[in-house]
Amino acid sequence: MGCKHRTRVIKALVITSPGPGEGKSTLTANLGVVMAQAGAKTVILDGDLRKPTLHKIFGVQNDAGVTTLITHPDKSWTSVSKQVATPNLFLVPSGPIPPNPSDLLSSERFNQLLERIRQESDIILIDSPPVHSASDSLALAGHADGLLLVSQSHKTRTDALRGAAQAARQGRIRLVGLVLNRLTGSQGSTYYGEYYESEPVPGVPSPGD
């Protein structure tokens, strides 16, 4: 399965935001649930090896995960994945926080891990640190098929959002789209109207991180 963008299929998607607290982790979880409910075998990777939150959102242990699989490449990803309440949805938590997150995420071992999961799933969603907090999200996007930026109404600064998009372009990262969340009532209609006049923006309003 997977998501199509123009003529290429997106099998692995990195989700990030310009700064902290803009809803990227919650959106990653919600998007995973929606895709799994649609019948896609969905794997969520917590690629935020600095301040992981997905294990808290799903209420599972974080004793082993992404860091475990990178440092022990002989292990199967299913040995540390958590099957949550939604059928077809699997979570690979971050695992123990390492001293060198960027090195691990940019390594060939992580690329090999991602390739193994690709072969056994329909779509992979990767939560990552904010762009302006660490270089990890761009390192992750280098292994994936695209990058989705999450911003929050009345919180994300325009220059921060523009800078995050520019960083992706400079890194030759495929920027798939922008999610503008936490819009309510007539404010949401106004914002979406303004955005759709210039460029379609895929988005589902969601709470913060």
Side-chain angles (χ1 to χ4, degrees):
M1 206 167 178
C3 301
K4 288 187 177 180
H5 179 73
R6 294 182 180 175
T7 58
R8 293 182 293 170
V9 173
I10 298 173
K11 189 74 179 281
L13 179 65
V14 172
I15 301 171
T16 188
S17 58
E22 294 172 317
K24 65 177 181 59
S25 299
T26 304
L27 186 133
T28 301
N30 288 338
L31 187 57
V33 169
V34 169
M35 289 186 164
Q37 289 176 339
K41 183 176 180 181
T42 306
V43 179
I44 297 178
L45 293 184
D46 196 337
D48 191 339
L49 305 187
R50 299 172 187 270
K51 296 182 68 175
T53 58
L54 284 171
H55 65 285
K56 297 177 183 177
I57 292 175
F58 286 103
V60 300
Q61 295 295 316
N62 192 30
D63 52 337
V66 173
T67 55
T68 310
L69 295 173
I70 296 175
T71 55
H72 299 81
D74 55 314
K75 281 185 173 290
S76 166
W77 70 271
T78 56
S79 67
V80 303
S81 68
K82 316 290 184 181
Q83 184 167 11
V84 298
T86 304
N88 296 321
L89 181 60
F90 301 84
L91 170 67
V92 179
S94 69
I97 296 177
N100 56 339
S102 293
D103 292 342
L104 289 184
L105 296 175
S106 59
S107 69
E108 180 57 27
R109 282 189 177 184
F110 178 79
N111 189 50
Q112 292 170 355
L113 167 64
L114 200 59
E115 287 305 312
R116 292 201 303 271
I117 300 177
R118 280 178 189 267
Q119 295 173 13
E120 300 177 33
S121 64
D122 294 318
I123 184 74
I124 306 167
L125 303 176
I126 308 170
D127 187 28
S128 67
V131 173
H132 295 312
S133 298
S135 62
D136 302 7
S137 58
L138 299 182
L140 283 166
H143 297 296
D145 304 314
L147 180 74
L148 181 66
L149 271 177
V150 178
S151 62
Q152 182 174 315
S153 173
H154 292 301
K155 177 171 183 175
T156 306
R157 298 198 332 260
T158 302
D159 59 337
L161 186 58
R162 186 180 294 114
Q166 183 62 28
R169 285 194 292 269
Q170 288 177 345
R172 296 187 177 180
I173 305 278
R174 181 180 174 197
L175 185 57
V176 174
L178 164 69
V179 173
L180 181 62
N181 66 26
R182 300 201 74 172
L183 299 177
T184 57
S186 59
Q187 175 201 18
S189 300
T190 301
Y191 266 83
Y192 275 109
E194 291 173 354
Y195 271 88
Y196 274 106
E197 284 176 6
S198 56
E199 182 178 359
V201 179
V204 178
S206 63
D209 267 345

